[in-house]
Amino acid sequence: MDEAVPALATGQASTDAVTEQPVNVYIWDMDETLILLKSLLDGSYAGAFDGLKDHEKSTEIGKRWENLILELCDEHFFYEEIENYNEPYLNALNEYDDGRDLTSYDFEADCFSSPYDDANKKKLAYRHRAIGEKYAKGLEKVLDGHMVKVCNDQYSLTDKYTDGWLSSAHKLLEEALGKSASAPSANSSSINCIVTSGSLIPSLAKCLLYHLDDVVSSENVYSSWEVGKLQCFKWIKERFDGPNVRFCAIGDGHEECSAAQVMKWPFIKIEFRPEAHHRFPGLDLPTVQTYMDVIYESSSKDG
């Protein structure tokens, strides 16, 4: 995976920045870590609260999210056309993209279809670039005012139902980048990546709908659907590695835990049970950094 190390807020940092101060790369799982969806749909989140949470409301919230995600994918992210052509990251087909101006490009008339040959890979690369451009503009530039309000209301409803899970996760990702209310621009050389087992395009749609697009750039979202999380972790290490770079994986599943062990990275397990050691709200940046310090200080001593 031939990519330069990305800058600080967007994922592209200069070599000088890497050498001057430590770079922390946080690799987040998405579902049941940064967001809750499956556990809302199947009632397991509500079930963990011994009757204190309304099961029916949980399922209703989850179904609304499913509909919003699918609608965004189909209407704005070409999903009906490209659903069967999942790639592990948005820049995977860059070699096929000739940089053509897409302002007046007619996606409906370019006959994108199988076979998945070079000509169609170029058409898919165009679509990926268009999706990345929409992602960078934000939800307010993609949807009309009414739908933006619908999505924001759904976010607020979900956040309230989950006792602030979404907003506290977002706050932690902001802090990881060095953002704050007084300094909304990133002022550290840290980077957030997402590695999700879901397919790429719906995962990017989730980032927009769940307000993660300002803390995770589109090129830092990886789908492990076909390749597995270990391969994605290896790509991230290859992309960002340097003398002062530290990695940490955070998620709820066995696959990311095993992959982190192979990579010799610290791993923080997220669980939604109210008594869980690490969950949202609860997990904070000092805790994450403590995990990293333990692993990397031990490694430096061993080395």
Side-chain angles (χ1 to χ4, degrees):
M1 184 174 172
D2 243 354
E3 297 180 44
V5 176
L8 310 184
T10 62
Q12 291 182 12
S14 69
T15 305
D16 289 343
V18 172
T19 55
E20 285 172 5
Q21 58 180 317
V23 177
N24 292 326
V25 181
Y26 304 100
I27 300 95
W28 305 89
D29 182 35
M30 180 180 284
D31 293 282
E32 308 308 310
T33 297
L34 296 178
I35 72 171
L36 297 174
L37 182 55
K38 181 180 180 294
S39 60
L40 295 178
L41 284 165
D42 65 18
S44 56
Y45 177 81
F49 287 80
D50 295 328
L52 296 176
K53 297 283 186 184
D54 186 330
H55 278 251
E56 189 174 326
K57 186 174 183 180
S58 171
T59 304
E60 181 183 317
I61 290 172
K63 287 179 177 177
R64 283 186 198 165
W65 276 120
E66 280 192 322
N67 292 334
L68 288 172
I69 293 163
L70 189 59
E71 185 175 335
L72 180 59
C73 287
D74 286 345
E75 295 188 9
H76 300 280
F77 284 0
F78 313 103
Y79 195 52
E80 288 185 4
E81 291 181 296
I82 67 178
E83 180 179 1
N84 296 323
Y85 302 95
N86 187 58
E87 292 289 340
Y89 50 95
L90 208 53
N91 296 333
L93 298 176
N94 271 5
E95 64 181 293
Y96 298 96
D97 189 341
D98 57 11
R100 175 176 176 172
D101 183 358
L102 301 178
T103 305
S104 57
Y105 184 81
D106 189 349
F107 287 100
E108 294 182 2
D110 73 352
C111 302
F112 172 76
S113 63
S114 58
Y116 196 37
D117 55 15
D118 286 2
N120 279 301
K121 286 179 179 178
K122 179 163 76 170
K123 295 169 188 176
L124 182 55
Y126 286 169
R127 283 160 172 77
H128 282 180
R129 174 150 56 95
I131 291 168
E133 289 170 356
K134 289 180 179 181
Y135 185 103
K137 291 176 182 176
L139 202 62
E140 292 76 10
K141 301 293 185 181
V142 176
L143 304 178
D144 62 36
H146 169 70
M147 280 308 300
V148 169
K149 184 179 185 307
V150 168
C151 294
N152 287 340
D153 287 349
Q154 174 71 3
Y155 180 95
S156 297
L157 175 68
T158 310
D159 201 43
K160 182 177 180 181
Y161 180 79
T162 60
D163 305 316
W165 187 288
L166 303 182
S167 57
S168 61
H170 182 273
K171 182 174 181 287
L172 178 54
L173 267 68
E174 280 189 319
E175 292 173 352
L177 293 179
K179 291 185 176 184
S180 66
S182 59
S185 296
N187 58 15
S188 80
S189 29
S190 297
I191 297 159
N192 288 320
C193 294
I194 287 176
V195 176
T196 174
S197 56
S199 55
L200 181 64
I201 303 308
S203 298
L204 290 165
K206 287 178 184 178
C207 284
L208 280 172
L209 292 167
Y210 285 90
H211 301 180
L212 295 170
D213 54 300
D214 66 332
V215 287
V216 184
S217 57
S218 61
E219 67 267 27
N220 289 349
V221 178
Y222 293 78
S223 166
S224 64
W225 182 268
E226 289 100 353
V227 300
K229 295 204 170 183
L230 179 57
Q231 177 59 69
C232 292
F233 284 15
K234 288 179 179 179
W235 281 332
I236 291 170
K237 179 175 172 57
E238 179 184 339
R239 181 179 170 197
F240 294 110
D241 203 14
N244 296 320
V245 179
R246 310 192 310 172
F247 299 87
C248 183
I250 306 100
D252 73 302
H254 295 296
E255 187 183 1
E256 54 261 35
C257 178
S258 298
Q261 287 178 337
V262 172
M263 301 300 291
K264 295 182 170 55
W265 294 349
F267 175 75
I268 299 174
K269 182 173 178 58
I270 300 294
E271 298 179 82
F272 57 71
R273 294 178 296 105
E275 71 276 11
H277 196 45
H278 298 307
R279 67 189 307 279
F280 294 110
L283 182 63
D284 57 24
L285 193 59
T287 300
V288 176
Q289 291 176 338
T290 296
Y291 272 80
M292 299 177 80
D293 290 342
V294 168
I295 294 296
Y296 283 95
E297 288 177 8
S298 173
S299 298
S300 63
K301 288 176 182 175
D302 292 344

